[in-house]
Amino acid sequence: MAVNSELTELYSGIYTDNIRRIREGSTSFLNAFRDAAFDRFTTLGIPTRKNENYKYTNLDLFFRHNYKTYFIPDESDFVKAEEFRCDITDLDTHGVVLLNGFYPTINGKIRTLPGEILIGSLNEASRRFPDLVERHYGKYAKSNSDGLVHLNTAMASDGVFVHVPQGSHLNKPVQVINLVDSTEDVFNQHRNLIIVDDNADLTIIICDHTLSPQKFLTNAVTEIYVGENARFNIIRVQNEHNNACKVTHTFIHQGRNSYSSSNNLTLHGGLVRNNTYHFLGGEGAESSSFGLYLSDKWQHVDNLVSVEHAFPNCTSNQLFKGVLDEMSTGAFNGRIFVDPKAQGTLAYQKNNNILLTDDAKMYTKPQLEIYADDVKCSHGATVGQLDENALFYLQSRGIDKREAKLLLMLGFAHEVIQNIGVEALRERIDNLVMQRLKGELSRCASCMVKCG
Amino acid sequence: MLVIKNLHAAIEGKKILRGISLEVKPGEIHAIMGPNGSGKSTLAAVLAGRDLAEVTEGSVTYFGRNLLEMAPEDRSREGIFLGFQYPIEIPGVSMVNFLKTAVNEHRKYKGLEPLSASDFLRIMREKKELVDIDSKLANRSVNEGFSGGEKKKNEIFQMAMLEPKLAILDETDSGLDIDALRVVANGVNKLKRPDNSAIVITHYQRLLDYIVPDVVHVLYDGRIVKSAGKELALELEEKGYDWIKKEVDNQN
């Protein structure tokens, strides 16, 4: 069995115990999805390692635990959220804070920016803009075979909603700060919906912070629609403590001649699993999927990327790199699917890893399914140590071994970091990565958790 | 400055150097020539501290210190520079960051403050002109995507930045066209001071048209089998290495 029936029962119980309260806090539109999604969840269940996609990730460690579930936050909870400030001073963004998966109430639940761009709470948007939400919600995630996606649909009731109408663009990125803060161990699920219409342009930064040392489990689903000729970039910065588990499912659905990029930067976290699904749903679409993960102690970081070429002449690129220290482990599963009609496909994939100790482990698996003839496809994976020749080259110029290793690791990581289009953030990440690789704790000044 | 005595070295148990003795005095330029596989590059690697080759016998002293006990980075800080035959590409590490780190490590070793950003850039600009290196290369990753000629120029550029006392140039001329060869050689000549020295390892004589050696040594089968003035290089160019091989083989 690829399903952990005991755990599935545990989470089914949470659903049954709380569904009444969840329904009360949500719109009938969101509620309409719940029963079917729950059925699907009970069939698919919480994945075990017998499930090929979770072969290297043991969810038991974090899922087998009695969490308090968090449904309706108090007004007072949001004071803390409102006070939170990102400390990257020259990073100019439209900021949004989510607290334990909920959108704060203080400054109105939906903001309208120039160009009729909407940013706000998904729950509120489903009330005020039902047409928009109904056109996209649930569409891109619904056929997924991961039970956790359906658990989210069954129970999530809020998250971030962004709508960029046709031809609109913002002159600065949207920044979503996910705060997890509680005096009890918490399981939270939120749901984001991002709609970038034809010819529009959006960059969104998602920062994950844990503010208290309790055990946390987050299961988040983000659905993104990118219209014809539109451009979309998503950058995730994950910096959570060792007692936190984060599972993300990101669905990017692209139209004709659109471009999207995703960048998952995992700097810290107990167990992180990112599922990134790119659907190239129109001719000439292009997607890039980047990832960088640094791990130590008992941390585990797993990235699953799936790129589906459904139309001709699309281009995709995957670049994931990791530096694993101590007894940490990692996994990368990169899937490229080329539909029989997707002639003229270009698809590339690269996964490079450096293991700093004999105990660190990395599992990497390319998965190519190609059903068209006119396809250019490449993939490569490496797991190794630092290049001895490069190390000697640096030493022969007077750089001591420790510093030389650091330079090489930074250079290795920079190949991913250089793809961050927001300069202030790129510099900060370079900096955080340097601190992390030096063995210092990499955290933003506003981080209140000191996990050594 | 450098005294090599009866140096033996092996790579994975295979004897490559079989008793080399050589003394380099301040201000001298020594050329080391020899056929492929004679041990030229291994000698350079041993002097720079690459641990692939294991020294089994003999000694190397540098300004009176045991060179073989020094870490590669300390050899560099003490003024030894190896120009690589095959410079290494290091993706993601910018030339500027690399050179700034190297120069400041040298300064730290000498007890000097790190250079300010503006001083560093000014010095870099001056040295770039010296070796006629494209400004754009300095903004790229170390050697990444450089042509063969650019890589060799970059070695000389690094040498200019680090101002070594003893430069060991390992086949710096290989793979260069005549224009690039001239640029590289000019760079070396401009950096020449009365008190610094060079060991120029080369397969062909043509580099020695531009960099004029005081002594030419022929390395064959892990030993220096002949040493003479610069005219030896011309003789080798004309007659090849076979006559030397015969001479040596007859002696054995």
Side-chain angles (χ1 to χ4, degrees), chain B residues 69-97:
Chain B
E69 278 180 354
M70 291 162 71
E73 54 266 40
D74 286 334
R75 299 183 196 199
S76 168
R77 294 161 184 169
E78 287 288 349
I80 290 182
F81 178 89
L82 173 64
F84 282 61
Q85 184 178 3
Y86 303 108
I88 312 293
E89 296 195 12
I90 309 180
V93 178
S94 73
M95 278 299 299
V96 174
N97 202 2

Side-chain angles (χ1 to χ4, degrees), chain B residues 95-96 99 120-139 153-154 156-158 160-161 183 187 190:
Chain B
M95 278 299 299
V96 174
L99 281 173
F120 174 76
L121 290 173
R122 181 180 48 76
I123 293 171
M124 206 164 114
R125 217 169 21 246
E126 287 167 13
K127 306 288 183 179
K128 256 188 320 215
E129 279 167 24
L130 198 70
V131 291
D132 191 24
I133 197 167
D134 190 339
S135 278
K136 279 183 232 122
L137 292 185
N139 297 324
K153 278 191 202 172
N154 193 20
I156 305 304
F157 173 46
Q158 292 169 42
M161 292 296 293
V183 170
K190 281 186 211 162

Side-chain angles (χ1 to χ4, degrees), chain A residues 387-403 407-408 410-412 414-415, chain B residues 48-50 72-73 76-77 81-82 84 88 90-93 98 101-102 105-106 143 155 158 162:
Chain A
D387 178 357
E388 287 290 327
N389 291 322
L391 204 54
F392 176 68
Y393 191 75
L394 295 176
Q395 283 180 274
S396 79
R397 300 306 183 239
I399 300 170
D400 73 45
K401 200 166 185 173
R402 207 183 109 93
E403 190 75 18
L407 265 180
L408 289 181
L410 281 175
F412 177 82
H414 193 74
E415 206 193 340
Chain B
R50 183 74 166 112
E73 54 266 40
S76 168
R77 294 161 184 169
F81 178 89
L82 173 64
F84 282 61
I88 312 293
I90 309 180
V93 178
F98 161 59
T101 309
E105 292 259 342
H106 277 246
N143 291 323
E155 294 293 290
Q158 292 169 42
L162 297 175

Side-chain angles (χ1 to χ4, degrees), chain A residues 315-349:
Chain A
T315 304
S316 68
N317 185 27
Q318 301 173 35
L319 174 67
F320 279 74
K321 299 186 108 177
V323 180
L324 292 85
D325 201 357
E326 297 174 323
M327 53 288 217
S328 64
T329 50
F332 173 76
N333 188 343
R335 177 172 178 258
I336 297 172
F337 176 91
V338 182
D339 190 272
K341 70 174 182 205
Q343 301 295 352
T345 288
L346 298 176
Y348 307 103
Q349 179 190 101

Side-chain angles (χ1 to χ4, degrees), chain A residues 149-169:
Chain A
V149 170
H150 303 284
L151 182 65
N152 179 287
T153 308
M155 294 173 73
S157 51
D158 205 0
V160 171
F161 169 78
V162 181
H163 177 231
V164 188
Q166 247 187 49
S168 279
H169 71 277

